[in-house]
Every structure is written in structure tokens, then in C-alpha cells.
Amino acid sequence: MHARGTPRLRGALAVMAAVALLFTLSVALAPERAVAAPVLVSRGKPVTASSTEGPFAAANAVDGDPGTRWSSEFTDDQWIRIDLGTSTAVGQVVLTWEAAYARGYRIELSADGRQWTTLHSTTTGTGGTETLTVSVPPV
């Protein structure tokens, strides 16, 4: 049997085949892209609240410690405000409730503390851990 083509063409085809094989292997063996863990952008930021019950200060709501918490008075229209200090992209809000939780609540966003935009609103909150996907690009 005779190979077709000139030796130079056969060499070029062999090189291209080797390159194609290496490319295929590099794609097949490439590690998956790492996904960054969520960042608690509220940690350590200034917090104010409508009320506080006992030792359960508002700052506890954003300290990242699951052993602490904020507790408000047991009346309607309680709120907590976290000042992120700068325009920040937010993709998720996680609420971790204790046995007492709000069935109705709103999560609002403001760039100036005067005009507010509702990101999420419900009257059927379930307590537990609520993970809300939001889309807030930095302004």
C-alpha cells in the first residue's frame, strides 16, 4: 500500500491531528471552573433597627455568627436597615429565622436612604432559612 500525498503534506496532517488530539484532551481533562463562595457583604456594616429586645442587638443580624441574632419587639412594622456604605452587587439574600418569624415582610433597597425599591415582598413567609435570589447590579 502506498500513502497518499507528499511527505510534507502527510507531516502537516500528522501535526494537525496531534494538535487536535491535544486540544481535545485539554478540553476533556480541564478542571471545572471554581465557583466563589457567597460573600456576606453586610458583615460588620452599620445597622439600625426599629427596636431591640433584650441583648439581641441589630448588629447580630449581620455578624455571620449563627449563634447570635437580632430580635425586635413583638409588634407590627418592625424593620432593620443595613448600610453597605457603597454601591454593591447583590445576587442573593438569605434570611435565617428562629422559631418566631415574619409571615409578611419586604426587602427594600435604597441608594440614598430616602427612595426605596422593593426587591422582595411576601405575606406567606415560612420561617426557617429563606434563600432569595435577587438581581441588584452596582449602581
Side-chain angles (χ1 to χ4, degrees):
M1 278 196 222
H2 295 290
R4 293 189 177 164
T6 64
R8 182 176 285 173
L9 180 58
R10 283 194 310 261
L13 289 174
V15 169
M16 289 190 316
V19 168
L21 178 61
L22 289 174
F23 176 75
T24 302
L25 287 174
S26 70
V27 171
L29 300 176
E32 293 184 33
R33 291 186 181 259
V35 177
V39 175
L40 181 59
V41 297
S42 59
R43 179 176 282 151
K45 302 299 184 190
V47 181
T48 54
S50 55
S51 67
T52 299
E53 179 193 37
F56 307 112
N60 294 347
V62 296
D63 65 3
D65 181 349
T68 63
R69 65 184 175 93
W70 164 60
S71 180
S72 67
E73 294 176 351
F74 295 160
T75 60
D76 286 343
D77 297 327
Q78 299 298 309
W79 53 264
I80 186 168
R81 180 179 295 166
I82 302 122
D83 184 352
L84 299 179
T86 187
S87 178
T88 304
V90 177
Q92 184 178 80
V93 175
V94 179
L95 302 172
T96 306
W97 301 95
E98 58 146 19
Y101 63 92
R103 291 189 55 79
Y105 64 88
R106 285 188 317 265
I107 297 175
E108 298 176 328
L109 171 74
S110 175
D112 60 10
R114 292 185 302 268
Q115 294 182 338
W116 296 86
T117 301
T118 300
L119 296 178
H120 177 80
S121 180
T122 187
T123 58
T124 58
T126 58
T129 299
E130 294 183 61
T131 302
L132 310 169
T133 300
V134 296
S135 181
V136 181
V139 181

